[in-house]
Amino acid sequence: MLKINRENLKTSHQLIWFTIDFLMLGLLIINLAFIIFDSTYNFVAIQNLLAENAPAIKELYHPIHENFIFYDLIFVSIFLTEFVIRWGYSIKAKVYDRWYFYPFIHWYDIVGCIPVGTFRFLRILRVISIIYRLHQYKVIDFTQTKVFQFFNFYYEAFMEELSDRIVIKVLSGAQEEIRRGSPLFDRIQNDILYPRRDMLSDWVSQRVAEAAQEGYVPNRGALRSYLETRVDNALKQNLELSRLKYLPVVGPTIQETLEEAVGDIVANVIHQILEDLASASNHAFIEDIVNVFLPAPEENREQEAPNEALINLIIEILDAVKSQVKVKHWRSELT
């Protein structure tokens, strides 16, 4: 059902024009139905069918059919009167820059008023324009109708399928150019990524610090205990170290002291590394890594071999984008 927003209809200063729109919409629907019925009545088979099954209707309508142009001109006169009134209002309100713009913009109103042949069916354009105008002013909500939702669904599905194929084709072409070492790769590296190297370093540094803080700091004790256990087991399996216990008197003590010292050293080293990664001091380390991936353009020109790591990274990013583009959102709406 077509929903009407009564609040907007009441509060709008264009209430008169909206009322005229509704009246014209009703007259247009009646007129189009009249035209379709009369066009059908022109067939002799239809006249014979009515004469046999509904002679009263044929007898009543036949004089109207004979004077069809007269009755159609009544509708045309109403439509032209409304057109002239709107034209005059547009001139007074200065809706358009020139007074003669209105008939050119609303040409379908004039052409539809020609009472000849198929020109009459152009009046359906006027129906569409009125409905669109009322919808634009939120007087009616055409999007809630089942007809609109039906056609809009298949339109969106068609456009999604079409756009997905185009995007995938473009991305595949970009991947091929990057693999062949075309200027596209140099533009991506030198004009897009390199000027943003500091931003990338800051972002990676921040993400590494957050990951270290969330993953290491809360589990610091458990990680230290795990490292000490692993180191202790590894030292016990070492043949050279296990021979120390055979030394008289001090052998077991030396072995135990070495195990504790090595375990403590390893745990402290890992602890310091993760503490550094979890702090802002990791920026210099991350920046060095980013600089290796994104050297300066003059440094990059001195290298004979292309940056394979960066090429693979860009290709994988494009593969991820293509995989996301291939997702058919309209199919999920059917389930």
Side-chain angles (χ1 to χ4, degrees):
M1 293 293 292
L2 192 65
K3 292 187 177 180
I4 298 176
N5 192 325
R6 298 182 183 278
E7 182 178 353
N8 289 336
L9 186 61
K10 291 178 181 178
T11 58
S12 175
H13 67 281
Q14 294 183 329
L15 176 61
I16 297 177
W17 294 114
F18 291 149
T19 304
I20 293 175
D21 279 335
F22 278 110
L23 291 175
M24 298 305 298
L25 184 62
L27 287 174
L28 283 165
I29 293 174
I30 294 172
N31 183 234
L32 287 171
F34 177 47
I35 293 171
I36 293 172
F37 182 79
D38 191 78
S39 299
T40 306
Y41 185 83
N42 275 325
F43 295 101
V44 177
I46 299 297
Q47 295 183 19
N48 294 335
L49 184 65
L50 289 175
E52 294 176 1
N53 298 281
I57 295 178
K58 183 179 183 302
E59 184 179 354
L60 178 65
Y61 183 75
H62 192 74
I64 298 176
H65 173 70
E66 294 292 335
N67 298 284
F68 170 77
I69 295 180
F70 170 76
Y71 292 105
D72 187 56
L73 286 174
I74 295 176
F75 287 99
V76 169
S77 62
I78 297 174
F79 298 153
L80 286 176
T81 301
E82 188 258 353
F83 178 82
V84 172
I85 292 174
R86 285 188 179 275
W87 188 3
Y89 174 78
S90 69
I91 296 173
K92 181 180 179 181
K94 297 182 179 180
V95 177
Y96 302 106
D97 294 335
R98 296 290 185 271
W99 64 271
Y100 51 83
F101 280 6
Y102 185 87
F104 285 100
I105 295 175
H106 298 268
W107 59 269
Y108 47 85
D109 288 349
I110 299 176
V111 175
C113 289
I114 299 176
V116 177
T118 55
F119 285 109
R120 298 189 182 99
F121 289 100
L122 291 177
R123 295 170 195 177
I124 194 171
L125 296 177
R126 196 171 192 180
V127 174
I128 296 173
S129 68
I130 292 175
I131 293 177
Y132 175 77
R133 183 163 57 245
L134 293 174
H135 175 77
Q136 191 177 26
Y137 284 99
K138 299 181 179 180
V139 177
I140 61 176
D141 190 358
F142 191 67
T143 60
Q144 300 301 318
T145 61
K146 293 183 178 180
V147 174
F148 176 86
Q149 293 174 353
F150 175 80
F151 285 104
N152 185 66
F153 171 79
Y154 287 101
Y155 170 78
E156 293 293 339
F158 171 76
M159 294 303 296
E160 183 179 354
E161 290 286 345
L162 181 62
S163 61
D164 287 355
R165 292 178 184 274
I166 295 174
V167 171
I168 292 174
K169 184 68 174 178
V170 171
L171 293 178
S172 299
Q175 286 179 314
E176 290 299 324
E177 290 189 11
I178 291 173
R179 289 191 183 99
R180 291 196 302 265
S182 71
L184 175 62
F185 171 73
D186 294 332
R187 289 199 299 271
I188 293 175
Q189 181 176 357
N190 299 331
D191 299 340
I192 299 176
L193 295 179
Y194 177 74
R196 295 168 176 80
R197 190 167 60 174
D198 294 338
M199 181 190 69
L200 291 173
S201 299
D202 294 339
W203 182 81
V204 174
S205 174
Q206 182 180 0
R207 297 294 293 179
V208 171
E210 291 177 358
Q213 289 175 355
E214 296 176 3
Y216 168 67
V217 175
N219 303 300
R220 182 184 305 171
L223 179 61
R224 184 181 183 87
S225 176
Y226 172 78
L227 290 173
E228 291 177 349
T229 302
R230 293 291 93 195
V231 171
D232 184 56
N233 291 337
L235 293 175
K236 287 180 179 179
Q237 295 175 5
N238 186 274
L239 295 177
E240 288 76 9
L241 188 61
S242 64
R243 291 171 184 169
L244 291 175
K245 66 182 179 181
Y246 296 112
L247 292 175
V249 183
V250 296
T253 303
I254 294 175
Q255 183 185 23
E256 183 178 354
T257 302
L258 282 174
E259 290 177 355
E260 292 178 356
V262 172
D264 190 60
I265 291 172
V266 172
N268 285 333
V269 169
I270 299 297
H271 168 75
Q272 190 60 49
I273 291 174
L274 292 175
E275 284 286 346
D276 291 341
L277 290 177
S279 65
S281 61
N282 71 359
H283 182 76
F285 172 69
I286 299 299
E287 186 176 8
D288 291 338
I289 296 177
V290 174
N291 291 341
V292 172
F293 278 92
L294 295 174
E298 56 273 9
E299 297 176 2
N300 189 48
R301 281 192 289 269
E302 296 175 358
Q303 300 177 359
E304 295 182 359
N307 193 336
E308 294 293 338
L310 185 57
I311 290 176
N312 293 331
L313 175 63
I314 295 174
I315 290 176
E316 290 180 6
I317 291 174
L318 294 179
D319 281 332
V321 176
K322 287 165 64 177
S323 299
Q324 182 61 33
V325 170
K326 289 179 180 179
V327 176
K328 307 301 180 185
H329 297 285
W330 64 269
R331 292 180 181 175
S332 61
E333 297 180 8
L334 292 176
T335 58

